[in-house]
Amino acid sequence: MPESLISWLNVKPSGDMVTLLVLGLLLAAGVLGASLCRRMLHVPFITGCLLSGLAIGPSGLNLLTQSGLDEFRFIVDIALGLVLFELGRRIDVRWLLRERWLLFTGLMVSALTFAALFLSLSLAGIPTLPASMVASIGITSSPAVALLLVRELKAEGQLTERMLHLTALGNALAILLFAVCLSAHYMQHQPAWYTAIIHSTYRVVGGCLLGWLAARLLTLPTVLKIESSMQQGTLIIAAVALVVGLGSSLGLSSLIALLVMGATTRSTHAMWFIREDELAPINAMLCTILFVYTGAQISLRYLPEFIGLALAFIALRSVVMTTTTGLLAWFNGISWKKGMWLGISLFPMSGVATLLALHVSAPYPDFGAELSALMISVLALLELTGPLVLRLALTASGEAKS
Amino acid sequence: MLEFTPSEPLTFGIELELQIVNRRDFNLTRGAPDLLTLIGRKKHNFDIKPEITESMIEVGSAIHRSHHEMLQELREIRTLMLDCADKLNLGIAGGGSHPFQHWGDQRIYPKERYMLVSELYGYLAKQFTVYGQHIHIGVPDGDAAVRLTLLLGRYVPHFIALSASSPFHQGVDTSFQSSRLTSVNAFPLSGFMPMLSSWADFQAYFSKMSSYGIVASMKDFYWDIRPKPEYGTVEVRVCDTPLQLETSVALAAYARTLAAYFLDHPELSAHPDLYQTYAYNRFQACRFGMAGTLSDAETGAQPELRQDLFTTLDMLSETAARLGTQDALGYLRVRAMRMKTDADWIREQFQQHRMLSAVVQRQCDYWRAGNEDWVL
């Protein structure tokens, strides 16, 4: 609750009042702060939102406290859900199956990044399980940053398309790796090893099924001849909310479900009935909240101590990604230069990663305080610089609209 | 002085401007740079190059003496382009315009000439995101080029109606069969070549326009038909890019047969009132296609366009037999008899699918499949 803001008012606001206050702050800070940052610093809109969030959040002026922010988890979950659904809609499964080099590149980027990070962490003396979990967070790229910047800059071309596909693949693989890590963890502690396998399969396969079912829901406008774009948009929000809600209550992977839902609507007839611009106003609002919220969550507390290690982590991750895509550029039908930019475009790390890290550190305290601090520092740096680096990649490759 | 390079009479070639679309919502996309990079890596001698906006690509055939060879070559080009486009997940489609693109979204290809054109013509350059077919016919000298340019002008409505494939513009049904030519009309030097009687006259005209500072090269004339002195050809520029290669080749064969007929009949010349009826006839063809009504300056008759086409095809039968173009003319005759133009096909697809995205997807499939029934 933003006590600091309202203590001098000498009123005792009810819970709903506080929620409204926080919502107002998130939106106003987002729009006004982002516009100000954009004008003064020439940064992308989302960086502006992040900076505003950072300024008013617990790490800054503390106008927004952690408990106040927690009230908004559900909106943030829907915002993120919509982003993942939209990313899913950009994924062309038929292309991935036909253009094997893209699939191979995605697998190689993830595998090599994972291997490099895991080996380095292991050599630094981190135990296997936390090291593998951190390494699997390291292979994710931010779907929200990727999608929103592509939209903001009106980027089009092979780098853009391949980057979005690699981003979706990386996030899906991270979920799989995570499930495997957790299974391994269970195995250490439980005699019945098969429960671990069943658990992770349930999470992933169940997620796919949930996504597929939600996509069926979105074909209803065709059947019922609902032609109003507002109603179609509302149905999409409903489907996203249902998937996120059901996913977490049933213990299924919502990320996989949303990606599958998006990709399935693309490959079925439903795609004709959902146009990107129809969701634009609600998308803009939800994303403002999402990024101000994310900015407020950025913690700079450990940065002074961990900056060296965090930079080393980021450098290793970027070098491996860029080298891999650069070396495979020719097979992807693009110039080696564009291939290098493709690797660089994967730089922003996933907000999903934050959530994963938070989820993990709570129930599995053996993640370690130091490693958590390192990850929090890495995330802080990547959140703040990611959009700028991606913008550079999209502009330098000529795919952003000038 | 503008010199005319002679070429072998009746050799011919075509240029086709094609649409590059994404496979998500089938809107135009800036795929040309990526597609050309990939095509550039393959071993081939084909002429595939960028056009003014990055969602266009232009294909040129070699110089041919037979339309069968031309079709063979174009089919090979199509295979090569589709291989590359598939790898990049791009769609390629024919059609004179993209049905729902927004001109403001288009980007000028970063090449000096296109940047200059864009600077000069402002929004017209981006509005010029329309797709046409150009047909070049070789002529022995400049005099023949000027004479043929005028004589072929009488048949411009046929070419418009036979190739019409741009019924939609910016998401709206225009009620035209070919809306593309309307975009061309906005250019200051569009329209037709003046009534001139020889290459010497043309040189004098060009020098005058040049001295007025209006033109610097032949490229500045956006005429429907123009002499092309560098190539030694007459260039017909009114056709929309048809939805299938076979139609493109048949149109080229028709132009070539007409040219052969006029070279065989040196006594024929353009009617002095050609341009009195020109704009009206051109409009009728754009608006109503095959069902348009023409005004014939020579006879004073007002035949239906389709009827006029049949009369012309009958007139050409001997020449076609000599050139071996009967099959191509037969193909066009059947299309006209069935009143099935590409514009009608596009409208039919829209009736069926109710979504312009789906129409463009069908256009891509249609271009890929080709028209194998027409055995050449």
Side-chain angles (χ1 to χ4, degrees):
Chain A
M1 201 170 80
E3 293 89 355
S4 49
L5 179 70
I6 50 178
S7 55
W8 57 272
L9 281 174
N10 198 23
V11 287
K12 280 210 159 94
S14 66
D16 291 347
M17 264 280 292
V18 176
T19 312
L20 277 179
L21 259 173
V22 177
L23 177 65
L25 259 177
L26 280 173
L27 281 172
V31 175
L32 300 176
S35 310
L36 195 70
C37 292
R38 199 183 213 175
R39 188 162 298 176
M40 294 174 64
L41 307 171
H42 302 289
V43 291
F45 180 77
I46 49 181
T47 309
C49 288
L50 287 165
L51 289 174
S52 318
L54 183 63
I56 60 171
S59 294
L61 301 171
N62 202 25
L63 295 178
L64 290 171
T65 56
Q66 193 55 51
S67 59
L69 284 169
D70 286 346
E71 300 261 323
F72 274 86
R73 264 305 291 274
F74 80 99
I75 293 194
V76 172
D77 280 344
I78 289 189
L80 201 58
L82 203 56
V83 163
L84 288 168
F85 166 71
E86 294 269 301
L87 180 67
R89 277 182 46 193
R90 301 282 306 228
I91 303 308
D92 190 341
V93 178
R94 282 181 210 140
W95 185 38
L96 265 179
L97 295 177
R98 194 174 66 229
E99 168 60 347
R100 302 262 164 79
W101 281 108
L102 175 59
L103 189 62
F104 181 73
T105 307
L107 295 175
M108 285 310 278
V109 167
S110 296
L112 293 176
T113 311
F114 179 85
L117 292 174
F118 177 75
L119 283 177
S120 316
L121 289 164
S122 297
L123 285 176
I126 310 268
T128 309
L129 179 68
S132 59
M133 285 182 164
V134 168
S136 49
I137 293 175
I139 68 176
T140 63
S141 294
S142 169
V145 174
L147 206 59
L148 293 178
L149 263 181
V150 162
R151 219 175 270 158
E152 184 177 335
L153 301 174
K154 295 193 170 144
E156 280 178 23
Q158 284 304 300
L159 182 140
T160 306
E161 289 300 318
R162 282 169 199 263
M163 181 261 291
L164 290 170
H165 280 77
L166 294 186
T167 300
L169 264 177
N171 278 285
L173 285 172
I175 291 287
L176 282 174
L177 278 169
F178 233 80
V180 171
C181 293
L182 288 180
S183 302
H185 182 72
Y186 278 122
M187 278 172 167
Q188 285 174 1
H189 297 279
Q190 284 186 3
W193 58 271
Y194 53 85
T195 52
I197 304 285
I198 290 173
H199 179 254
S200 48
T201 313
Y202 169 75
R203 248 181 93 67
V204 172
V205 176
C208 291
L209 193 66
L210 179 62
W212 185 79
L213 284 172
R216 301 304 302 167
L217 178 70
L218 289 182
T219 58
L220 283 180
T222 328
V223 182
L224 302 175
K225 299 205 173 353
I226 301 175
E227 286 186 356
S228 148
S229 55
M230 272 305 286
Q231 289 166 13
Q232 289 173 18
T234 310
L235 197 63
I236 290 174
I237 306 282
V240 168
L242 279 172
V243 166
V244 175
L246 275 174
S248 46
S249 352
L250 299 174
L252 305 173
S253 166
S254 304
L255 181 139
I256 299 246
L258 289 159
L259 286 176
V260 168
M261 176 170 124
T264 313
T265 54
R266 176 179 176 140
S267 56
T268 61
H269 199 60
M271 68 176 277
W272 306 122
F273 288 85
I274 312 159
R275 285 195 296 273
E276 243 167 66
D277 51 344
E278 281 163 9
L279 292 173
I282 186 112
N283 251 336
M285 196 176 83
L286 286 174
C287 287
T288 308
I289 297 178
L290 172 65
F291 279 98
V292 178
Y293 177 92
T294 313
Q297 296 282 11
I298 293 175
S299 167
L300 305 173
R301 209 171 355 149
Y302 306 107
L303 209 52
E305 195 183 335
F306 284 90
I307 188 148
L309 278 176
L311 286 176
F313 182 97
I314 294 170
L316 180 63
R317 177 177 176 272
S318 310
V319 167
V320 176
M321 285 177 162
T322 310
T323 316
T324 314
T325 54
L327 288 174
L328 292 172
W330 199 86
F331 302 101
N332 279 284
I334 53 179
S335 66
W336 66 267
K337 222 170 166 182
K338 207 169 227 187
M340 303 286 270
W341 284 120
L342 177 59
I344 293 170
S345 72
L346 299 172
F347 185 81
M349 206 158 87
S350 179
V352 180
T354 329
L355 300 178
L356 285 179
L358 291 174
H359 275 276
V360 168
S361 57
Y364 305 103
D366 49 358
F367 203 61
E370 286 215 333
L371 202 54
S372 293
L374 170 66
M375 284 317 286
I376 288 169
S377 306
V378 166
L379 278 169
L381 287 174
L382 286 179
E383 298 276 16
L384 290 172
T385 54
L388 295 169
V389 173
L390 178 55
R391 183 173 68 175
L392 177 71
L394 290 173
T395 315
S397 62
E399 300 208 346
K401 193 175 184 183
S402 51
Chain B
M1 194 59 86
L2 197 60
E3 291 303 327
F4 194 91
T5 316
S7 68
E8 184 187 325
L10 301 180
T11 50
F12 71 137
I14 64 174
E15 293 156 328
L16 288 174
E17 291 158 353
L18 295 163
Q19 312 185 19
I20 306 178
V21 297
N22 71 46
R23 302 198 68 86
R24 187 159 39 90
D25 61 3
F26 291 87
N27 200 347
L28 289 179
T29 189
R30 56 165 295 280
D34 294 321
L35 192 56
L36 286 166
T37 305
L38 191 55
I39 289 173
R41 279 196 202 155
K42 311 262 175 178
K43 269 192 188 155
H44 67 85
N45 296 317
F46 302 132
D47 177 21
I48 305 172
K49 51 181 182 281
E51 244 298 329
I52 186 155
T53 59
E54 289 186 318
S55 51
M56 303 173 98
I57 194 160
E58 184 178 305
V59 172
S61 75
I63 301 167
H64 288 282
R65 290 182 182 81
S66 137
H67 63 282
H68 299 100
E69 284 166 18
M70 176 186 276
L71 184 59
Q72 183 57 34
E73 185 201 14
L74 286 171
R75 282 179 171 163
E76 283 166 25
I77 294 181
R78 180 174 63 194
T79 306
L80 170 76
M81 286 176 73
L82 287 174
D83 273 354
C84 294
D86 284 347
K87 184 170 175 64
L88 304 178
N89 212 24
L90 297 168
I92 296 182
S97 68
H98 185 276
F100 64 90
Q101 57 102 7
H102 288 288
W103 64 267
D105 291 339
Q106 303 312 319
R107 303 187 208 176
I108 302 297
Y109 195 94
K111 195 169 142 183
E112 199 183 351
R113 172 164 165 81
Y114 299 143
M115 291 297 176
L116 286 175
V117 167
S118 167
E119 203 174 310
L120 174 63
Y121 291 110
Y123 88 120
L124 289 186
K126 285 187 181 177
Q127 285 229 328
F128 205 45
T129 305
V130 286
Y131 301 80
Q133 168 178 346
H134 299 171
I135 305 167
H136 287 270
I137 311 284
V139 285
D141 53 47
D143 290 344
V146 170
R147 177 171 165 264
L148 272 187
T149 300
L150 292 174
L151 278 167
L152 287 173
R154 155 78 176 73
Y155 300 94
V156 153
H158 295 182
F159 286 97
I160 294 173
L162 285 166
S163 68
S165 57
S166 50
F168 288 89
H169 184 62
Q170 310 276 305
V172 184
D173 190 335
T174 57
S175 76
F176 275 55
Q177 295 289 91
S178 166
S179 67
R180 166 182 155 271
L181 281 175
T182 315
S183 310
V184 185
N185 292 349
F187 284 84
L189 297 170
S190 63
F192 41 79
M193 185 184 81
M195 278 282 181
L196 304 166
S197 54
S198 65
W199 184 247
D201 278 2
F202 190 90
Q203 283 173 320
Y205 170 75
F206 185 85
S207 305
K208 194 156 72 178
M209 294 298 274
S210 183
S211 70
Y212 290 155
I214 297 175
V215 296
S217 77
M218 281 301 295
K219 283 189 173 169
D220 295 320
F221 291 115
Y222 286 75
W223 294 333
D224 290 346
I225 307 181
R226 68 184 181 192
K228 186 87 177 165
E230 312 89 289
Y231 294 177
T233 60
V234 171
E235 185 185 7
V236 179
R237 298 152 49 84
V238 284
C239 299
D240 282 0
T241 298
L243 295 177
Q244 295 184 308
L245 286 181
E246 289 74 10
T247 314
S248 303
V249 172
L251 284 166
Y254 178 41
R256 179 171 178 246
T257 315
L258 270 173
Y261 180 83
F262 292 131
L263 291 180
D264 285 350
H265 294 82
E267 72 284 3
L268 296 175
S269 62
H271 193 274
D273 280 348
L274 170 67
Y275 289 145
Q276 306 299 322
T277 56
Y278 189 88
Y280 172 80
N281 288 343
R282 187 178 186 270
F283 163 76
Q284 285 285 323
C286 289
R287 171 69 180 83
F288 301 107
M290 290 294 165
T293 308
L294 299 183
S295 172
D296 187 340
E298 200 159 340
T299 61
Q302 281 148 36
E304 195 187 29
L305 192 151
R306 194 164 66 128
Q307 200 50 53
D308 192 59
L309 173 71
F310 294 148
T311 313
T312 312
L313 291 176
D314 291 342
M315 173 185 95
L316 295 177
S317 57
E318 268 177 40
T319 317
R322 184 167 60 77
L323 288 179
T325 53
Q326 300 110 312
D327 53 355
L329 301 198
Y331 171 89
L332 295 178
R333 187 190 285 267
V334 170
R335 279 168 74 88
M337 279 163 65
R338 289 185 186 154
M339 295 287 264
K340 280 271 180 212
T341 62
D342 285 348
D344 299 321
W345 186 89
I346 289 173
R347 286 205 173 92
E348 226 168 72
Q349 296 299 316
F350 182 67
Q351 283 299 325
Q352 213 172 321
H353 301 284
R354 310 299 307 164
M355 280 277 159
L356 288 172
S357 298
V359 173
V360 182
Q361 187 183 25
R362 294 285 102 78
Q363 274 176 243
C364 293
D365 296 343
Y366 203 49
W367 195 74
R368 178 187 295 267
N371 191 340
E372 298 294 339
D373 297 345
W374 187 38
V375 185
L376 286 177

